[in-house]
Amino acid sequence: MTSTTKMFGVCSLFIAIIAVTSSGCGGTTGDQAGPSSPPAQPTGATSTQGDHSGWWCVEHGVPEEECSMCSAKAAADFKAKGDWCDEHHRAKSQCFICDPTQAEKYAALYEAKFGKEPPTPTE
């Protein structure tokens, strides 16, 4: 193997690693508005788009562990209960597209925990 071939292989591996790690876990949906910068969050809330380490899912406006769009387990639980919106691929109780008033329940949870209104969902 020549040094040029080795260098090409190393560069290809490096590019592949960068592509995989920068893609994140946010996923892409047909109704995604595109990248945006969410407002600063209190401690415990998710602080950046695609960061699912906090209590609040900024992308979808619900508590992270209950987010049917980010968590396969949560989605399966909602589907098992018959709480699913096939049109928008999320829990019907979290489908703010079909019923915007559903957001009020989750906003109240956020306000109870942090003492202020939740950030506007980025998706």
Side-chain angles (χ1 to χ4, degrees):
M1 191 182 273
T2 67
S3 63
T4 304
T5 305
K6 286 181 185 177
M7 183 58 94
F8 179 77
V10 170
C11 288
S12 297
L13 178 62
F14 183 72
I15 290 170
I17 289 170
I18 289 173
V20 169
T21 59
S22 66
S23 65
C25 64
T28 302
T29 60
D31 59 5
Q32 188 172 4
S36 63
S37 298
Q41 299 300 307
T43 303
T46 301
S47 60
T48 60
Q49 184 173 2
D51 175 9
H52 301 285
S53 62
W55 182 80
W56 189 254
C57 178
V58 173
E59 291 171 295
H60 303 114
V62 298
E64 189 67 52
E65 69 180 24
E66 296 177 35
C67 186
S68 63
M69 292 144 287
C70 294
S71 169
K73 181 188 179 318
D77 291 346
F78 283 110
K79 286 177 182 179
K81 294 177 198 171
D83 180 3
W84 195 253
C85 176
D86 287 323
E87 183 178 353
H88 300 112
H89 312 289
R90 63 193 71 201
K92 186 168 245 155
S93 60
Q94 295 176 354
C95 189
F96 309 153
I97 299 166
C98 289
D99 184 0
T101 64
Q102 292 288 343
E104 295 169 10
K105 173 178 97 173
Y106 293 102
L109 291 173
Y110 187 95
E111 289 178 30
K113 185 167 181 80
F114 296 112
K116 63 183 191 177
E117 289 186 23
T120 302
T122 59
E123 284 191 19

